[in-house]
mmCIF file of all heavy atoms in Angstrom:
data_model
loop_
_atom_site.group_PDB
_atom_site.id
_atom_site.type_symbol
_atom_site.label_atom_id
_atom_site.label_comp_id
_atom_site.label_asym_id
_atom_site.label_seq_id
_atom_site.Cartn_x
_atom_site.Cartn_y
_atom_site.Cartn_z
ATOM 1 N N PRO A 2 7.546 13.204 -3.275
ATOM 2 C CA PRO A 2 8.915 13.741 -3.298
ATOM 3 C C PRO A 2 9.981 12.770 -3.808
ATOM 4 O O PRO A 2 11.112 13.167 -4.056
ATOM 5 C CB PRO A 2 9.179 14.099 -1.828
ATOM 6 C CG PRO A 2 8.198 13.296 -1.036
ATOM 7 C CD PRO A 2 6.988 13.189 -1.906
ATOM 8 N N ASP A 3 9.621 11.503 -3.994
ATOM 9 C CA ASP A 3 10.599 10.560 -4.546
ATOM 10 C C ASP A 3 10.595 10.578 -6.064
ATOM 11 O O ASP A 3 11.319 9.828 -6.706
ATOM 12 C CB ASP A 3 10.343 9.144 -4.037
ATOM 13 C CG ASP A 3 8.998 8.589 -4.495
ATOM 14 O OD1 ASP A 3 8.173 9.360 -5.005
ATOM 15 O OD2 ASP A 3 8.780 7.373 -4.345
ATOM 16 N N GLY A 4 9.758 11.439 -6.655
ATOM 17 C CA GLY A 4 9.699 11.560 -8.103
ATOM 18 C C GLY A 4 8.581 10.763 -8.742
ATOM 19 O O GLY A 4 8.448 10.751 -9.965
ATOM 20 N N THR A 5 7.743 10.119 -7.935
ATOM 21 C CA THR A 5 6.631 9.329 -8.459
ATOM 22 C C THR A 5 5.609 10.233 -9.130
ATOM 23 O O THR A 5 5.239 11.285 -8.596
ATOM 24 C CB THR A 5 5.945 8.541 -7.328
ATOM 25 O OG1 THR A 5 6.893 7.674 -6.725
ATOM 26 C CG2 THR A 5 4.772 7.720 -7.849
ATOM 27 N N THR A 6 5.130 9.825 -10.303
ATOM 28 C CA THR A 6 4.126 10.603 -11.027
ATOM 29 C C THR A 6 2.725 10.276 -10.520
ATOM 30 O O THR A 6 2.503 9.261 -9.859
ATOM 31 C CB THR A 6 4.177 10.301 -12.531
ATOM 32 O OG1 THR A 6 3.811 8.920 -12.734
ATOM 33 C CG2 THR A 6 5.568 10.558 -13.097
ATOM 34 N N TYR A 7 1.778 11.160 -10.859
ATOM 35 C CA TYR A 7 0.383 10.910 -10.515
ATOM 36 C C TYR A 7 -0.091 9.578 -11.099
ATOM 37 O O TYR A 7 -0.812 8.817 -10.454
ATOM 38 C CB TYR A 7 -0.510 12.040 -11.041
ATOM 39 C CG TYR A 7 -0.712 13.163 -10.067
ATOM 40 C CD1 TYR A 7 0.053 14.317 -10.138
ATOM 41 C CD2 TYR A 7 -1.677 13.081 -9.071
ATOM 42 C CE1 TYR A 7 -0.137 15.359 -9.237
ATOM 43 C CE2 TYR A 7 -1.880 14.116 -8.168
ATOM 44 C CZ TYR A 7 -1.101 15.258 -8.255
ATOM 45 O OH TYR A 7 -1.292 16.282 -7.366
ATOM 46 N N GLU A 8 0.299 9.297 -12.327
ATOM 47 C CA GLU A 8 -0.142 8.074 -12.987
ATOM 48 C C GLU A 8 0.241 6.844 -12.177
ATOM 49 O O GLU A 8 -0.589 5.968 -11.913
ATOM 50 C CB GLU A 8 0.458 7.985 -14.387
ATOM 51 C CG GLU A 8 0.025 6.738 -15.152
ATOM 52 C CD GLU A 8 0.648 6.676 -16.537
ATOM 53 O OE1 GLU A 8 1.798 7.139 -16.704
ATOM 54 O OE2 GLU A 8 -0.004 6.145 -17.443
ATOM 55 N N THR A 9 1.499 6.777 -11.752
ATOM 56 C CA THR A 9 1.972 5.627 -10.976
ATOM 57 C C THR A 9 1.371 5.618 -9.579
ATOM 58 O O THR A 9 0.924 4.570 -9.087
ATOM 59 C CB THR A 9 3.504 5.663 -10.884
ATOM 60 O OG1 THR A 9 4.059 5.621 -12.205
ATOM 61 C CG2 THR A 9 4.026 4.483 -10.076
ATOM 62 N N ALA A 10 1.341 6.779 -8.943
ATOM 63 C CA ALA A 10 0.833 6.869 -7.572
ATOM 64 C C ALA A 10 -0.645 6.509 -7.498
ATOM 65 O O ALA A 10 -1.066 5.750 -6.613
ATOM 66 C CB ALA A 10 1.045 8.281 -7.033
ATOM 67 N N CYS A 11 -1.417 7.018 -8.434
ATOM 68 C CA CYS A 11 -2.862 6.777 -8.392
ATOM 69 C C CYS A 11 -3.193 5.318 -8.647
ATOM 70 O O CYS A 11 -4.125 4.767 -8.046
ATOM 71 C CB CYS A 11 -3.572 7.678 -9.402
ATOM 72 S SG CYS A 11 -3.539 9.433 -8.945
ATOM 73 N N LYS A 12 -2.440 4.667 -9.514
ATOM 74 C CA LYS A 12 -2.662 3.244 -9.752
ATOM 75 C C LYS A 12 -2.359 2.441 -8.492
ATOM 76 O O LYS A 12 -3.128 1.556 -8.104
ATOM 77 C CB LYS A 12 -1.787 2.758 -10.906
ATOM 78 C CG LYS A 12 -1.964 1.274 -11.209
ATOM 79 C CD LYS A 12 -1.099 0.822 -12.379
ATOM 80 C CE LYS A 12 -1.297 -0.660 -12.658
ATOM 81 N NZ LYS A 12 -0.442 -1.129 -13.784
ATOM 82 N N TYR A 13 -1.244 2.756 -7.850
ATOM 83 C CA TYR A 13 -0.842 2.053 -6.633
ATOM 84 C C TYR A 13 -1.874 2.253 -5.524
ATOM 85 O O TYR A 13 -2.309 1.291 -4.869
ATOM 86 C CB TYR A 13 0.524 2.571 -6.190
ATOM 87 C CG TYR A 13 1.075 1.925 -4.948
ATOM 88 C CD1 TYR A 13 1.607 0.639 -4.990
ATOM 89 C CD2 TYR A 13 1.081 2.600 -3.737
ATOM 90 C CE1 TYR A 13 2.123 0.039 -3.848
ATOM 91 C CE2 TYR A 13 1.596 2.017 -2.596
ATOM 92 C CZ TYR A 13 2.122 0.738 -2.650
ATOM 93 O OH TYR A 13 2.619 0.153 -1.518
ATOM 94 N N ILE A 14 -2.277 3.508 -5.317
ATOM 95 C CA ILE A 14 -3.245 3.824 -4.265
ATOM 96 C C ILE A 14 -4.577 3.137 -4.531
ATOM 97 O O ILE A 14 -5.202 2.571 -3.628
ATOM 98 C CB ILE A 14 -3.436 5.354 -4.165
ATOM 99 C CG1 ILE A 14 -2.160 6.007 -3.628
ATOM 100 C CG2 ILE A 14 -4.620 5.700 -3.269
ATOM 101 C CD1 ILE A 14 -2.154 7.511 -3.760
ATOM 102 N N ASP A 15 -5.021 3.164 -5.782
ATOM 103 C CA ASP A 15 -6.308 2.572 -6.137
ATOM 104 C C ASP A 15 -6.313 1.067 -5.892
ATOM 105 O O ASP A 15 -7.299 0.512 -5.380
ATOM 106 C CB ASP A 15 -6.624 2.875 -7.605
ATOM 107 C CG ASP A 15 -8.030 2.432 -7.992
ATOM 108 O OD1 ASP A 15 -8.987 2.849 -7.314
ATOM 109 O OD2 ASP A 15 -8.169 1.675 -8.967
ATOM 110 N N GLU A 16 -5.210 0.391 -6.235
ATOM 111 C CA GLU A 16 -5.137 -1.048 -6.027
ATOM 112 C C GLU A 16 -5.174 -1.389 -4.537
ATOM 113 O O GLU A 16 -5.867 -2.319 -4.110
ATOM 114 C CB GLU A 16 -3.867 -1.608 -6.670
ATOM 115 C CG GLU A 16 -3.889 -1.631 -8.177
ATOM 116 C CD GLU A 16 -4.931 -2.573 -8.739
ATOM 117 O OE1 GLU A 16 -4.891 -3.778 -8.419
ATOM 118 O OE2 GLU A 16 -5.795 -2.092 -9.498
ATOM 119 N N LYS A 17 -4.433 -0.641 -3.744
ATOM 120 C CA LYS A 17 -4.416 -0.891 -2.299
ATOM 121 C C LYS A 17 -5.787 -0.595 -1.681
ATOM 122 O O LYS A 17 -6.261 -1.329 -0.801
ATOM 123 C CB LYS A 17 -3.337 -0.036 -1.627
ATOM 124 C CG LYS A 17 -1.911 -0.495 -1.904
ATOM 125 C CD LYS A 17 -1.595 -1.827 -1.239
ATOM 126 C CE LYS A 17 -0.108 -2.154 -1.273
ATOM 127 N NZ LYS A 17 0.217 -3.441 -0.619
ATOM 128 N N LYS A 18 -6.431 0.461 -2.145
ATOM 129 C CA LYS A 18 -7.751 0.826 -1.619
ATOM 130 C C LYS A 18 -8.786 -0.245 -1.932
ATOM 131 O O LYS A 18 -9.582 -0.634 -1.076
ATOM 132 C CB LYS A 18 -8.199 2.162 -2.218
ATOM 133 C CG LYS A 18 -9.535 2.653 -1.679
ATOM 134 C CD LYS A 18 -9.906 4.006 -2.270
ATOM 135 C CE LYS A 18 -11.236 4.498 -1.720
ATOM 136 N NZ LYS A 18 -11.613 5.802 -2.317
ATOM 137 N N LYS A 19 -8.791 -0.746 -3.161
ATOM 138 C CA LYS A 19 -9.724 -1.821 -3.539
ATOM 139 C C LYS A 19 -9.499 -3.061 -2.678
ATOM 140 O O LYS A 19 -10.460 -3.720 -2.266
ATOM 141 C CB LYS A 19 -9.552 -2.176 -5.011
ATOM 142 C CG LYS A 19 -10.092 -1.141 -5.983
ATOM 143 C CD LYS A 19 -9.809 -1.557 -7.417
ATOM 144 C CE LYS A 19 -10.311 -0.523 -8.411
ATOM 145 N NZ LYS A 19 -9.955 -0.891 -9.815
ATOM 146 N N SER A 20 -8.229 -3.376 -2.421
ATOM 147 C CA SER A 20 -7.911 -4.542 -1.590
ATOM 148 C C SER A 20 -8.428 -4.350 -0.174
ATOM 149 O O SER A 20 -9.059 -5.257 0.405
ATOM 150 C CB SER A 20 -6.399 -4.774 -1.571
ATOM 151 O OG SER A 20 -5.920 -5.108 -2.850
ATOM 152 N N GLU A 21 -8.164 -3.183 0.400
ATOM 153 C CA GLU A 21 -8.658 -2.887 1.747
ATOM 154 C C GLU A 21 -10.178 -3.043 1.824
ATOM 155 O O GLU A 21 -10.705 -3.673 2.746
ATOM 156 C CB GLU A 21 -8.290 -1.464 2.146
ATOM 157 C CG GLU A 21 -6.845 -1.242 2.494
ATOM 158 C CD GLU A 21 -6.614 0.121 3.108
ATOM 159 O OE1 GLU A 21 -7.587 0.896 3.265
ATOM 160 O OE2 GLU A 21 -5.460 0.430 3.424
ATOM 161 N N GLU A 22 -10.856 -2.457 0.876
ATOM 162 C CA GLU A 22 -12.322 -2.464 0.903
ATOM 163 C C GLU A 22 -12.872 -3.881 0.822
ATOM 164 O O GLU A 22 -13.840 -4.217 1.511
ATOM 165 C CB GLU A 22 -12.860 -1.609 -0.250
ATOM 166 C CG GLU A 22 -12.628 -0.114 -0.044
ATOM 167 C CD GLU A 22 -13.009 0.711 -1.255
ATOM 168 O OE1 GLU A 22 -13.197 0.122 -2.350
ATOM 169 O OE2 GLU A 22 -13.111 1.942 -1.122
ATOM 170 N N TYR A 23 -12.251 -4.713 -0.001
ATOM 171 C CA TYR A 23 -12.752 -6.080 -0.144
ATOM 172 C C TYR A 23 -12.480 -6.904 1.114
ATOM 173 O O TYR A 23 -13.337 -7.685 1.547
ATOM 174 C CB TYR A 23 -12.122 -6.763 -1.359
ATOM 175 C CG TYR A 23 -12.858 -8.022 -1.745
ATOM 176 C CD1 TYR A 23 -14.065 -7.958 -2.432
ATOM 177 C CD2 TYR A 23 -12.362 -9.277 -1.403
ATOM 178 C CE1 TYR A 23 -14.761 -9.113 -2.774
ATOM 179 C CE2 TYR A 23 -13.050 -10.434 -1.734
ATOM 180 C CZ TYR A 23 -14.248 -10.344 -2.424
ATOM 181 O OH TYR A 23 -14.940 -11.487 -2.749
ATOM 182 N N ILE A 24 -11.316 -6.715 1.682
ATOM 183 C CA ILE A 24 -10.990 -7.430 2.929
ATOM 184 C C ILE A 24 -11.970 -7.039 4.028
ATOM 185 O O ILE A 24 -12.512 -7.902 4.735
ATOM 186 C CB ILE A 24 -9.542 -7.118 3.361
ATOM 187 C CG1 ILE A 24 -8.545 -7.752 2.384
ATOM 188 C CG2 ILE A 24 -9.276 -7.635 4.780
ATOM 189 C CD1 ILE A 24 -7.128 -7.233 2.538
ATOM 190 N N MET A 25 -12.235 -5.748 4.172
ATOM 191 C CA MET A 25 -13.134 -5.277 5.235
ATOM 192 C C MET A 25 -14.575 -5.736 5.003
ATOM 193 O O MET A 25 -15.310 -6.004 5.953
ATOM 194 C CB MET A 25 -13.071 -3.752 5.331
ATOM 195 C CG MET A 25 -11.752 -3.235 5.876
ATOM 196 S SD MET A 25 -11.758 -1.447 6.167
ATOM 197 C CE MET A 25 -11.781 -0.825 4.478
ATOM 198 N N LYS A 26 -14.959 -5.817 3.744
ATOM 199 C CA LYS A 26 -16.317 -6.263 3.406
ATOM 200 C C LYS A 26 -16.491 -7.756 3.638
ATOM 201 O O LYS A 26 -17.577 -8.213 4.013
ATOM 202 C CB LYS A 26 -16.605 -5.937 1.933
ATOM 203 C CG LYS A 26 -17.993 -6.366 1.459
ATOM 204 C CD LYS A 26 -18.209 -6.015 -0.002
ATOM 205 C CE LYS A 26 -17.407 -6.926 -0.916
ATOM 206 N NZ LYS A 26 -17.734 -6.705 -2.357
ATOM 207 N N THR A 27 -15.431 -8.520 3.458
ATOM 208 C CA THR A 27 -15.526 -9.977 3.454
ATOM 209 C C THR A 27 -15.181 -10.599 4.802
ATOM 210 O O THR A 27 -15.820 -11.553 5.235
ATOM 211 C CB THR A 27 -14.599 -10.564 2.367
ATOM 212 O OG1 THR A 27 -14.840 -9.896 1.127
ATOM 213 C CG2 THR A 27 -14.845 -12.045 2.194
ATOM 214 N N TYR A 28 -14.160 -10.069 5.460
ATOM 215 C CA TYR A 28 -13.669 -10.641 6.716
ATOM 216 C C TYR A 28 -14.249 -9.912 7.926
ATOM 217 O O TYR A 28 -14.320 -8.686 7.940
ATOM 218 C CB TYR A 28 -12.145 -10.563 6.776
ATOM 219 C CG TYR A 28 -11.454 -11.848 6.380
ATOM 220 C CD1 TYR A 28 -11.210 -12.148 5.047
ATOM 221 C CD2 TYR A 28 -11.047 -12.769 7.337
ATOM 222 C CE1 TYR A 28 -10.576 -13.329 4.669
ATOM 223 C CE2 TYR A 28 -10.417 -13.949 6.979
ATOM 224 C CZ TYR A 28 -10.182 -14.224 5.645
ATOM 225 O OH TYR A 28 -9.561 -15.387 5.295
ATOM 226 N N GLN A 29 -14.632 -10.668 8.945
ATOM 227 C CA GLN A 29 -15.050 -10.051 10.198
ATOM 228 C C GLN A 29 -13.851 -9.565 11.005
ATOM 229 O O GLN A 29 -13.921 -8.536 11.681
ATOM 230 C CB GLN A 29 -15.868 -11.047 11.031
ATOM 231 C CG GLN A 29 -17.240 -11.356 10.458
ATOM 232 C CD GLN A 29 -18.052 -12.229 11.395
ATOM 233 O OE1 GLN A 29 -17.517 -12.880 12.297
ATOM 234 N NE2 GLN A 29 -19.366 -12.253 11.187
ATOM 235 N N LYS A 30 -12.757 -10.326 10.927
ATOM 236 C CA LYS A 30 -11.549 -9.974 11.675
ATOM 237 C C LYS A 30 -10.436 -9.645 10.689
ATOM 238 O O LYS A 30 -9.997 -10.520 9.930
ATOM 239 C CB LYS A 30 -11.126 -11.122 12.598
ATOM 240 C CG LYS A 30 -12.122 -11.419 13.700
ATOM 241 C CD LYS A 30 -11.641 -12.564 14.582
ATOM 242 C CE LYS A 30 -12.620 -12.851 15.709
ATOM 243 N NZ LYS A 30 -12.143 -13.968 16.577
ATOM 244 N N TRP A 31 -10.011 -8.390 10.697
ATOM 245 C CA TRP A 31 -8.939 -7.971 9.793
ATOM 246 C C TRP A 31 -8.024 -6.977 10.497
ATOM 247 O O TRP A 31 -8.418 -6.285 11.435
ATOM 248 C CB TRP A 31 -9.505 -7.373 8.508
ATOM 249 C CG TRP A 31 -10.557 -6.321 8.717
ATOM 250 C CD1 TRP A 31 -11.916 -6.506 8.746
ATOM 251 C CD2 TRP A 31 -10.341 -4.923 8.970
ATOM 252 N NE1 TRP A 31 -12.553 -5.312 8.989
ATOM 253 C CE2 TRP A 31 -11.612 -4.325 9.123
ATOM 254 C CE3 TRP A 31 -9.207 -4.108 9.071
ATOM 255 C CZ2 TRP A 31 -11.784 -2.963 9.375
ATOM 256 C CZ3 TRP A 31 -9.365 -2.753 9.324
ATOM 257 C CH2 TRP A 31 -10.645 -2.206 9.460
ATOM 258 N N LEU A 32 -6.807 -6.935 9.996
ATOM 259 C CA LEU A 32 -5.777 -6.043 10.535
ATOM 260 C C LEU A 32 -5.060 -5.425 9.339
ATOM 261 O O LEU A 32 -4.480 -6.143 8.524
ATOM 262 C CB LEU A 32 -4.812 -6.846 11.405
ATOM 263 C CG LEU A 32 -3.689 -6.123 12.153
ATOM 264 C CD1 LEU A 32 -4.249 -5.043 13.076
ATOM 265 C CD2 LEU A 32 -2.862 -7.121 12.937
ATOM 266 N N ILE A 33 -5.145 -4.107 9.211
ATOM 267 C CA ILE A 33 -4.566 -3.426 8.054
ATOM 268 C C ILE A 33 -3.546 -2.394 8.523
ATOM 269 O O ILE A 33 -3.862 -1.530 9.343
ATOM 270 C CB ILE A 33 -5.648 -2.747 7.201
ATOM 271 C CG1 ILE A 33 -6.570 -3.809 6.577
ATOM 272 C CG2 ILE A 33 -5.011 -1.885 6.103
ATOM 273 C CD1 ILE A 33 -7.734 -3.235 5.786
ATOM 274 N N PHE A 34 -2.334 -2.498 7.991
ATOM 275 C CA PHE A 34 -1.266 -1.556 8.311
ATOM 276 C C PHE A 34 -1.073 -0.596 7.138
ATOM 277 O O PHE A 34 -1.096 -1.014 5.977
ATOM 278 C CB PHE A 34 0.042 -2.299 8.587
ATOM 279 C CG PHE A 34 0.019 -3.107 9.846
ATOM 280 C CD1 PHE A 34 -0.456 -4.415 9.839
ATOM 281 C CD2 PHE A 34 0.453 -2.566 11.048
ATOM 282 C CE1 PHE A 34 -0.493 -5.171 11.002
ATOM 283 C CE2 PHE A 34 0.427 -3.306 12.219
ATOM 284 C CZ PHE A 34 -0.049 -4.614 12.196
ATOM 285 N N ARG A 35 -0.863 0.672 7.475
ATOM 286 C CA ARG A 35 -0.646 1.694 6.452
ATOM 287 C C ARG A 35 0.694 2.405 6.686
ATOM 288 O O ARG A 35 0.734 3.567 7.094
ATOM 289 C CB ARG A 35 -1.782 2.710 6.458
ATOM 290 C CG ARG A 35 -3.087 2.199 5.878
ATOM 291 C CD ARG A 35 -4.138 3.293 5.907
ATOM 292 N NE ARG A 35 -5.327 2.934 5.143
ATOM 293 C CZ ARG A 35 -6.379 3.740 5.007
ATOM 294 N NH1 ARG A 35 -6.377 4.934 5.602
ATOM 295 N NH2 ARG A 35 -7.429 3.351 4.286
ATOM 296 N N PRO A 36 1.789 1.739 6.422
ATOM 297 C CA PRO A 36 3.095 2.387 6.603
ATOM 298 C C PRO A 36 3.377 3.378 5.483
ATOM 299 O O PRO A 36 2.839 3.250 4.374
ATOM 300 C CB PRO A 36 4.069 1.208 6.529
ATOM 301 C CG PRO A 36 3.394 0.247 5.604
ATOM 302 C CD PRO A 36 1.922 0.354 5.921
ATOM 303 N N TYR A 37 4.217 4.343 5.798
ATOM 304 C CA TYR A 37 4.677 5.268 4.756
ATOM 305 C C TYR A 37 5.932 4.657 4.121
ATOM 306 O O TYR A 37 5.929 3.520 3.711
ATOM 307 C CB TYR A 37 4.912 6.649 5.360
ATOM 308 C CG TYR A 37 3.629 7.404 5.615
ATOM 309 C CD1 TYR A 37 2.964 7.313 6.835
ATOM 310 C CD2 TYR A 37 3.062 8.190 4.613
ATOM 311 C CE1 TYR A 37 1.778 7.993 7.062
ATOM 312 C CE2 TYR A 37 1.870 8.868 4.829
ATOM 313 C CZ TYR A 37 1.235 8.773 6.057
ATOM 314 O OH TYR A 37 0.053 9.431 6.268
ATOM 315 N N TYR A 38 7.005 5.399 4.045
ATOM 316 C CA TYR A 38 8.215 4.869 3.424
ATOM 317 C C TYR A 38 8.936 3.937 4.397
ATOM 318 O O TYR A 38 9.206 4.306 5.535
ATOM 319 C CB TYR A 38 9.135 6.009 3.007
ATOM 320 C CG TYR A 38 8.563 6.884 1.922
ATOM 321 C CD1 TYR A 38 8.051 8.139 2.214
ATOM 322 C CD2 TYR A 38 8.517 6.438 0.600
ATOM 323 C CE1 TYR A 38 7.507 8.940 1.214
ATOM 324 C CE2 TYR A 38 7.985 7.223 -0.403
ATOM 325 C CZ TYR A 38 7.482 8.478 -0.086
ATOM 326 O OH TYR A 38 6.944 9.257 -1.081
ATOM 327 N N LEU A 39 9.243 2.738 3.924
ATOM 328 C CA LEU A 39 9.986 1.774 4.721
ATOM 329 C C LEU A 39 11.402 1.661 4.176
ATOM 330 O O LEU A 39 11.607 1.575 2.962
ATOM 331 C CB LEU A 39 9.295 0.413 4.681
ATOM 332 C CG LEU A 39 7.915 0.363 5.337
ATOM 333 C CD1 LEU A 39 7.251 -0.987 5.088
ATOM 334 C CD2 LEU A 39 8.005 0.641 6.837
ATOM 335 N N CYS A 40 12.368 1.678 5.064
ATOM 336 C CA CYS A 40 13.764 1.625 4.644
ATOM 337 C C CYS A 40 14.514 0.633 5.517
ATOM 338 O O CYS A 40 14.028 0.211 6.562
ATOM 339 C CB CYS A 40 14.410 3.008 4.747
ATOM 340 S SG CYS A 40 14.523 3.631 6.442
ATOM 341 N N GLY A 41 15.704 0.265 5.085
ATOM 342 C CA GLY A 41 16.530 -0.614 5.897
ATOM 343 C C GLY A 41 17.139 -1.755 5.108
ATOM 344 O O GLY A 41 17.195 -1.731 3.876
ATOM 345 N N GLU A 42 17.584 -2.761 5.841
ATOM 346 C CA GLU A 42 18.302 -3.890 5.257
ATOM 347 C C GLU A 42 17.451 -4.644 4.232
ATOM 348 O O GLU A 42 16.263 -4.848 4.435
ATOM 349 C CB GLU A 42 18.731 -4.852 6.375
ATOM 350 C CG GLU A 42 19.704 -5.925 5.927
ATOM 351 C CD GLU A 42 20.156 -6.790 7.084
ATOM 352 O OE1 GLU A 42 19.510 -6.758 8.150
ATOM 353 O OE2 GLU A 42 21.158 -7.500 6.911
ATOM 354 N N PHE A 43 18.064 -5.020 3.144
ATOM 355 C CA PHE A 43 17.449 -5.790 2.060
ATOM 356 C C PHE A 43 16.442 -4.991 1.233
ATOM 357 O O PHE A 43 15.647 -5.583 0.500
ATOM 358 C CB PHE A 43 16.797 -7.084 2.583
ATOM 359 C CG PHE A 43 17.726 -7.960 3.357
ATOM 360 C CD1 PHE A 43 17.489 -8.247 4.698
ATOM 361 C CD2 PHE A 43 18.866 -8.477 2.762
ATOM 362 C CE1 PHE A 43 18.345 -9.052 5.424
ATOM 363 C CE2 PHE A 43 19.736 -9.290 3.480
ATOM 364 C CZ PHE A 43 19.483 -9.574 4.813
ATOM 365 N N ASP A 44 16.475 -3.660 1.343
ATOM 366 C CA ASP A 44 15.617 -2.837 0.489
ATOM 367 C C ASP A 44 16.188 -2.845 -0.925
ATOM 368 O O ASP A 44 17.274 -2.326 -1.167
ATOM 369 C CB ASP A 44 15.563 -1.406 1.039
ATOM 370 C CG ASP A 44 14.748 -0.471 0.155
ATOM 371 O OD1 ASP A 44 14.015 -0.971 -0.727
ATOM 372 O OD2 ASP A 44 14.848 0.753 0.355
ATOM 373 N N TYR A 45 15.447 -3.437 -1.853
ATOM 374 C CA TYR A 45 15.937 -3.575 -3.221
ATOM 375 C C TYR A 45 15.559 -2.388 -4.110
ATOM 376 O O TYR A 45 15.925 -2.350 -5.278
ATOM 377 C CB TYR A 45 15.389 -4.861 -3.852
ATOM 378 C CG TYR A 45 13.881 -4.976 -3.787
ATOM 379 C CD1 TYR A 45 13.074 -4.369 -4.748
ATOM 380 C CD2 TYR A 45 13.263 -5.681 -2.765
ATOM 381 C CE1 TYR A 45 11.691 -4.450 -4.685
ATOM 382 C CE2 TYR A 45 11.883 -5.778 -2.696
ATOM 383 C CZ TYR A 45 11.108 -5.164 -3.649
ATOM 384 O OH TYR A 45 9.741 -5.244 -3.576
ATOM 385 N N SER A 46 14.818 -1.405 -3.569
ATOM 386 C CA SER A 46 14.357 -0.293 -4.407
ATOM 387 C C SER A 46 15.489 0.660 -4.790
ATOM 388 O O SER A 46 15.416 1.345 -5.811
ATOM 389 C CB SER A 46 13.269 0.501 -3.676
ATOM 390 O OG SER A 46 13.817 1.239 -2.586
ATOM 391 N N ASN A 47 16.517 0.734 -3.943
ATOM 392 C CA ASN A 47 17.666 1.610 -4.206
ATOM 393 C C ASN A 47 17.258 3.065 -4.394
ATOM 394 O O ASN A 47 17.875 3.808 -5.143
ATOM 395 C CB ASN A 47 18.441 1.127 -5.444
ATOM 396 C CG ASN A 47 19.837 1.733 -5.526
ATOM 397 O OD1 ASN A 47 20.483 1.952 -4.500
ATOM 398 N ND2 ASN A 47 20.295 2.008 -6.733
ATOM 399 N N ARG A 48 16.225 3.504 -3.698
ATOM 400 C CA ARG A 48 15.753 4.881 -3.870
ATOM 401 C C ARG A 48 16.185 5.828 -2.759
ATOM 402 O O ARG A 48 15.993 7.030 -2.866
ATOM 403 C CB ARG A 48 14.233 4.906 -3.980
ATOM 404 C CG ARG A 48 13.501 4.334 -2.776
ATOM 405 C CD ARG A 48 12.002 4.414 -2.975
ATOM 406 N NE ARG A 48 11.280 3.681 -1.950
ATOM 407 C CZ ARG A 48 9.955 3.735 -1.811
ATOM 408 N NH1 ARG A 48 9.237 4.470 -2.625
ATOM 409 N NH2 ARG A 48 9.361 3.035 -0.859
ATOM 410 N N PHE A 49 16.805 5.277 -1.707
ATOM 411 C CA PHE A 49 17.186 6.119 -0.579
ATOM 412 C C PHE A 49 18.692 6.335 -0.509
ATOM 413 O O PHE A 49 19.479 5.433 -0.778
ATOM 414 C CB PHE A 49 16.718 5.503 0.749
ATOM 415 C CG PHE A 49 15.230 5.318 0.859
ATOM 416 C CD1 PHE A 49 14.699 4.057 1.089
ATOM 417 C CD2 PHE A 49 14.370 6.393 0.728
ATOM 418 C CE1 PHE A 49 13.329 3.874 1.189
ATOM 419 C CE2 PHE A 49 13.000 6.227 0.830
ATOM 420 C CZ PHE A 49 12.483 4.957 1.057
#
């Protein structure tokens, strides 16, 4: 809904997914956060 295209979204998702998978495969102890939209002070995206 922010206007992101499939091309941009799929690249972003794929990169994050590959990172998650490698961390989980390599590290015994890991902590992964999956936030949605983050907003507030010092947000430089100017999208909200």
Side-chain angles (χ1 to χ4, degrees):
D3 64 348
T5 300
T6 65
Y7 269 97
E8 181 180 33
T9 300
C11 291
K12 180 179 180 181
Y13 181 75
I14 292 168
D15 187 54
E16 288 295 302
K17 288 291 192 179
K18 183 178 180 181
K19 287 177 181 176
S20 295
E21 286 190 0
E22 289 173 346
Y23 195 77
I24 291 166
M25 290 187 290
K26 180 180 73 173
T27 310
Y28 262 84
Q29 290 186 342
K30 295 180 179 180
W31 50 266
L32 184 57
I33 295 176
F34 292 87
R35 287 181 169 181
Y37 283 91
Y38 295 104
L39 294 173
C40 65
E42 191 177 16
F43 305 118
D44 177 14
Y45 54 84
S46 71
N47 197 35
R48 59 180 170 171
F49 300 122

